[in-house]
Amino acid sequence: MEERRLGPVVGLGTWNTFDLNAELASEVVTAALDSGCRLFDSSPMYGGAELSLSVAFEESREQTVIATKIWARTVEAGRAQYARQVGWFGRMEIEQIHNLLAWREHLEWLERERDAGRIDRLGVTHYSSSAFGELADALRTGRFDTVQIPLNPHERECERELLPLAAELGIAVIVMRPFGGGGLVLRPPPAEVLAELGVETWPQALLKWALSDERVDVVIPATTNPERTRSNAKAGSPPWFDDEQRRLVEQWAA
Ligand SMILES: NC(=O)c1ccc[n+]([C@@H]2O[C@H](COP(=O)([O-])OP(=O)(O)OC[C@H]3O[C@@H](n4cnc5c(N)ncnc54)[C@H](OP(=O)(O)O)[C@@H]3O)[C@@H](O)[C@H]2O)c1
C-alpha cells in the first residue's frame, strides 16, 4: 500500500461499528493489519469503540497508529478522557479535537502533552461544512498537525478552502465519510465501468477517487466486515485516477 505522511493511505474508522464488541473489533483489526492498514480513527463519542480497539490491539499495538479524539466541553472532562486513552493505548500517535469542541481551551494542555512526547501529532476535526470557516481559523493558528474532514463525490466543500490551506500550511489530511456514511456504496455502476477504472468494486473506486487528490493523506472507511476491510485496503495502491476517471466516478455517484 502507498504511504504518505501518516503512513499507509487506507485506515479504518470506528463510528457505529464496534461499540463494546471487542471480538468483532479484533476480527476487523486483524483483517486491516493483514491488508497493510495501520491508522485507526476513534473517539469517546463512539460508545465503547476505543475500549474495543484497545483489546483488539493487545498483540499488535506497536504496528498501529491510533488517531483518537478529545470530545469534551471542559478541560477537566477532556483530561479525564485523555487519562482513559493513556490507559488503553499508552500514548497517542494522533490526538484530535472532535468537532472543534472547546478547541482553544484543549489546545493548550494538549500541546504540553505533545511537547512531553506523549502525543506525536495534534489534529482537529469537523463533519459539517457550516463549521469550515472556524476550522480554517484553527488551522491558521499553525498549532495543528492534522485535519479531518469529509470528502466524497457528494461532499466536496473542503476543496474550496480547507484542502488548499492544509497544503499551504503542511497539515496532513484525514478523510472521513469516504462513502458518505454508506449511502454512496448502494448503487454501484456496471462491471464495464469498474473495469475502465481498474478496480474490482465500487467502494474501491470511491476510495481511489479521494486518494487521487494528492493533498489527502489517508481515508478512513468504517466497516463491521473483515472481508470488506480487506477489499477496501486494495484501493490504497497506485495507479491513481486521472481527471477523466475522477469525472467518471462523479457521474456514477451523482
Ligand atoms: N470527526 C467527525 O466529526 C467524524 C464524523 C463522521 C465520521 N468520522 C470518522 O470517519 C469514519 C468514516 O465515516 P463513516 O463511518 O461515517 O462513513 P463511511 O466510512 O463513509 O461509510 C461507512 C459505511 O459503509 C459501509 N461499507 C464499508 N465498506 C464497505 C464495502 N466495501 N461495501 C459495502 N459497504 C461498505 C459500512 O457498512 P458495513 O459495516 O455493513 O460494511 C458502513 O455502514 C467514521 O467511522 C469515523 O471514524 C468522523
Side-chain angles (χ1 to χ4, degrees):
M1 191 184 304
E2 180 163 309
E3 298 203 14
R4 297 185 188 165
R5 286 171 292 187
L6 301 178
V9 293
V10 179
L12 188 79
T14 64
W15 182 64
N16 238 347
T17 51
F18 309 144
D19 195 8
L20 284 170
N21 191 341
E23 199 179 323
L24 177 64
S26 297
E27 287 171 25
V28 175
V29 166
T30 300
L33 291 171
D34 285 350
S35 319
C37 303
R38 292 288 173 268
L39 186 144
F40 297 84
D41 179 76
S42 198
S43 169
M45 192 203 253
Y46 304 163
E50 291 176 300
L51 174 57
S52 295
L53 267 186
S54 74
V55 174
F57 286 175
E58 226 159 59
E59 311 271 302
S60 55
R61 176 66 183 103
E62 69 290 345
Q63 296 176 54
T64 63
V65 170
I66 182 72
T68 195
K69 310 190 189 82
I70 297 298
W71 180 57
R73 290 192 188 285
T74 66
V75 169
E76 193 189 9
R79 280 188 171 282
Q81 290 177 350
Y82 180 70
R84 285 194 289 276
Q85 293 166 348
V86 170
W88 289 324
F89 304 113
R91 61 193 305 283
M92 262 52 73
E93 284 77 27
I94 304 174
E95 184 72 272
Q96 307 159 97
I97 298 176
H98 200 147
N99 288 350
L100 287 162
L101 192 60
W103 66 273
R104 290 182 180 81
E105 290 84 339
H106 292 309
L107 195 47
E108 285 191 19
W109 68 268
L110 286 170
E111 282 178 325
R112 285 198 294 278
E113 292 300 312
R114 182 181 56 186
D115 294 346
R118 290 185 283 267
I119 293 172
D120 291 338
R121 290 180 164 94
L122 286 182
V124 60
T125 81
H126 212 291
Y127 68 94
S128 170
S129 58
S130 63
F132 283 2
E134 190 178 353
L135 199 48
D137 289 344
L139 299 189
R140 281 195 202 91
T141 62
R143 294 164 73 183
F144 289 101
D145 310 298
T146 72
V147 63
Q148 184 181 146
I149 40 184
L151 177 65
N152 62 59
H154 289 181
E155 292 177 283
R156 303 185 63 173
E157 293 87 350
C158 68
E159 292 175 335
R160 198 178 54 79
E161 184 180 17
L162 288 171
L163 282 179
L165 184 62
E168 181 194 324
L169 298 174
I171 294 169
V173 174
I174 300 173
V175 163
M176 65 165 85
R177 296 173 50 78
F179 304 142
L184 275 168
V185 298
L186 298 178
R187 285 181 299 119
E192 351 19 310
V193 175
L194 299 181
E196 205 174 325
L197 293 166
V199 295
E200 294 165 357
T201 71
W202 179 229
Q204 287 170 4
L206 292 163
L207 296 175
K208 277 210 166 196
W209 179 88
L211 289 167
S212 297
D213 186 322
E214 61 188 18
R215 298 169 296 187
V216 169
D217 287 276
V218 61
V219 291
I220 50 166
T223 178
T224 49
N225 182 318
E227 275 318 306
R228 288 179 176 172
T229 308
R230 289 194 183 88
S231 173
N232 291 345
K234 290 187 187 167
S237 300
W240 304 115
F241 292 161
D242 59 25
D243 290 348
E244 206 175 307
Q245 288 173 307
R246 278 192 113 217
R247 271 196 298 276
L248 189 59
V249 173
E250 289 154 25
Q251 279 161 15
W252 283 98

